[in-house]
């Protein structure tokens, strides 16, 4: 059973003046939900469809939410954004952004691209590109990030490193090996 009206007649272009035909392509009147020609012809004569660039839109990063009335213990790992409005106890390791809402609390280590803290975080932040500590935000733990933005009224207790590139870690172990490439 079809949910649309089949269009068996091919639409004809509207007549145009010769000058207009050079500047604009002809427009046709086609019903919005008309069945494409590829589905009305025999499948034996129809070439196989190719992948469309529409798939790029399906790779849009999704956001997961821990609601204000939830308390969860465990581990969050994966890609996508995470927004915590409730209570979470455990480590968060995401390839995306982490937002801790005002009134929320996260107890555990954090690895994310961007971390925004409006609530409370008890734990260390490692490897973030950017950290924003908002006016109501509280961070109790160490922080290593590319950049740090601190709003007036926010609170932090711990050590922090930000603004350093990877060359600052020369001599420190990376993946079990010591980097001595800049030693003389």
């Amino acid at each position: 059973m079809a949910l649309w009206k089949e269009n068996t007649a091919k639409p004809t272009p509207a007549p145009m003046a010769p000058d207009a035909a050079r500047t604009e392509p002809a427009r046709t009147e086609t019903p919005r939900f008309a069945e494409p020609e590829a589905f009305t012809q025999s499948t034996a004569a129809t070439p196989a469809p190719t992948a469309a660039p529409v798939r790029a839109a399906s790779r849009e990063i999704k956001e997961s939410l821990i609601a204000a009335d939830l308390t969860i213990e465990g581990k969050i790992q994966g890609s996508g954004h995470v927004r915590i409005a409730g209570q979470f106890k455990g480590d968060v390791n995401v390839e995306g952004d982490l937002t801790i809402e005002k009134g929320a609390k996260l107890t555990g280590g954090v690895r994310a691209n961007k971390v925004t803290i409006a609530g409370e975080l008890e734990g260390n932040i490692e490897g973030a590109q950017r950290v924003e500590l908002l006016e109501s935000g509280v961070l109790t733990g160490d922080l290593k990030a590319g950049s740090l933005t601190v709003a007036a009224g926010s609170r932090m207790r711990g050590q922090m490193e930000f603004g350093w590139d990877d060359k600052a870690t020369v001599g420190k172990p990376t993946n079990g090996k010591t980097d001595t490439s800049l030693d003389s």
Side-chain angles (χ1 to χ4, degrees):
M1 179 171 119
L3 298 176
W4 58 85
K5 184 178 179 180
E6 289 188 27
N7 187 7
T8 56
K10 289 190 176 190
T12 58
M16 300 177 120
D19 292 330
R22 282 184 238 145
T23 58
E24 287 186 57
R27 296 183 184 182
T28 59
E29 295 279 328
T30 307
R32 184 173 182 174
F33 297 105
E35 188 171 0
E37 256 188 76
F39 294 106
T40 58
Q41 295 175 353
S42 169
T43 57
T46 304
T50 59
V54 176
R55 297 209 184 265
S58 67
R59 299 184 72 83
E60 182 179 313
I61 297 177
K62 304 290 183 186
E63 183 177 67
S64 299
L65 171 69
I66 297 177
D69 57 347
L70 289 176
T71 301
I72 297 176
E73 287 188 36
K75 181 178 183 180
I76 298 174
Q77 185 171 349
S79 61
H81 303 309
V82 176
R83 180 175 301 271
I84 298 176
Q87 310 292 316
F88 182 76
K89 184 182 274 187
D91 293 337
V92 177
N93 185 1
V94 292
E95 294 176 15
D97 300 344
L98 170 67
T99 303
I100 302 170
E101 295 286 333
K102 186 174 182 177
K105 183 174 181 179
L106 169 63
T107 305
V110 172
R111 284 187 161 276
N113 295 338
K114 178 182 172 190
V115 180
T116 304
I117 305 170
E120 186 176 348
L121 171 61
E122 285 186 22
N124 299 332
I125 300 174
E126 294 186 29
Q129 294 173 358
R130 181 178 177 151
V131 175
E132 292 183 14
L133 191 56
L134 302 180
E135 185 177 352
S136 58
V138 177
L139 173 60
T140 306
D142 297 341
L143 175 135
K144 291 184 182 179
S147 69
L148 172 65
T149 304
V150 180
S154 61
R155 297 181 292 160
M156 181 180 170
R157 179 173 288 150
Q159 296 181 358
M160 65 179 106
E161 289 182 34
F162 61 92
W164 296 96
D165 58 4
D166 292 333
K167 293 178 184 177
T169 60
V170 172
K172 292 185 180 180
T174 56
N175 296 334
K177 298 179 181 177
T178 302
D179 183 8
T180 58
S181 60
L182 296 179
D183 290 344
S184 299

